[in-house]
Amino acid sequence: MAENNILLSVKGLKKEFGDNYVLRGIDTVVNKGDVVAIIGPSGCGKSTFLRSVNMLEIPTEGTILFKGENITDKSVNINKVREHIGMVFQQFNLFPNMTVKKNIMLAPVQLGRKSEAEAEKLADELLLRIGLPDKADAYPEQLSGGQKQRVAIARSLAMQPDIMLFDEPTSALDPEMVGEVLNLMKELANNGMTMIIVTHEMGFAREVANRVMFFYEGVIAEENNPKDFFDNPSNPRLKEFLSNVL
């Protein structure tokens, strides 16, 4: 793979909280256009890894290169880096006192990336894309959970990021709302968005990801293409995990 195709390079990533090593040495590379699904039991380090990628968690050891720049270096302006890394959480984190459209427009305008008029035009385009053009003037409390999460995704897309990080984006949703969010993420993947997704949705991981990782006890215990990962797992703990969730 050409060097200039590498978007993210993680080497020797460790994270400890007191005496507890949550990440014990993660090494991986994410290329432009990759859709990487991360699965594993609770407490295995999946979310900590994702939060480390944009330095919401400060690694204890290791380096993270984003577009060739070592973002673990203290001299790096991490807020500027984060403008290029979209993050979608389990909870939607929308501003309740702002309309849907204003939520989407806020960051590009505040950070000087777009004028008010440009941000409004983009917000209208994104609302159409996520299937909610009629909710522009609604407030978050008037939306369903699935609609809120779609707006949260649109808000991240408004910054036109190079990569999107999803931390169990459907886990707080009622089951009937999960599909609408996964369909939007599927569309993003089909359009070439680079994504790292921590998920419990095995069918989605199999269908949409080009790589699946199994985190266990703070390491990547197995990684493969979806077909071989799900049909021919080699790690005994992964076999056990899949037998319990599939």
Side-chain angles (χ1 to χ4, degrees), residues 136-195:
D137 298 321
Y139 286 85
E141 65 179 18
Q142 299 170 293
L143 304 181
S144 70
Q147 290 171 333
K148 286 177 190 171
Q149 194 61 293
R150 281 147 67 194
V151 172
I153 292 171
R155 184 181 55 183
S156 278
L157 290 172
M159 288 298 290
Q160 298 171 311
D162 296 299
I163 188 170
M164 293 274 286
L165 312 177
F166 293 87
D167 189 5
E168 297 186 16
T170 59
S171 65
L173 300 179
D174 292 334
E176 69 268 22
M177 294 174 185
V178 168
E180 63 192 62
V181 173
L182 294 182
N183 285 338
L184 175 58
M185 292 168 64
K186 207 177 293 184
E187 188 230 313
L188 294 178
N190 290 339
N191 286 324
M193 174 60 77
T194 309
M195 294 153 64

Side-chain angles (χ1 to χ4, degrees), residues 114-235:
K114 296 218 176 302
S115 69
E116 191 94 19
E118 289 169 335
E120 183 166 10
K121 181 174 182 290
L122 179 59
D124 286 336
E125 290 168 2
L126 287 168
L127 283 167
L128 194 61
R129 184 173 180 183
I130 66 170
L132 295 173
D134 56 327
K135 299 295 184 186
D137 298 321
Y139 286 85
E141 65 179 18
Q142 299 170 293
L143 304 181
S144 70
Q147 290 171 333
K148 286 177 190 171
Q149 194 61 293
R150 281 147 67 194
V151 172
I153 292 171
R155 184 181 55 183
S156 278
L157 290 172
M159 288 298 290
Q160 298 171 311
D162 296 299
I163 188 170
M164 293 274 286
L165 312 177
F166 293 87
D167 189 5
E168 297 186 16
T170 59
S171 65
L173 300 179
D174 292 334
E176 69 268 22
M177 294 174 185
V178 168
E180 63 192 62
V181 173
L182 294 182
N183 285 338
L184 175 58
M185 292 168 64
K186 207 177 293 184
E187 188 230 313
L188 294 178
N190 290 339
N191 286 324
M193 174 60 77
T194 309
M195 294 153 64
I196 305 177
I197 306 157
V198 171
T199 185
H200 294 298
E201 302 290 338
M202 300 299 142
F204 176 81
R206 182 193 280 265
E207 182 186 350
V208 177
N210 66 319
R211 289 160 57 199
V212 188
M213 295 176 181
F214 176 62
F215 270 48
Y216 185 62
E217 295 187 339
V219 299
I220 301 172
E222 184 153 345
E223 177 178 356
N224 215 327
N225 66 75
K227 183 170 184 353
D228 291 329
F229 183 94
F230 287 106
D231 293 347
N232 301 300
S234 58
N235 182 284

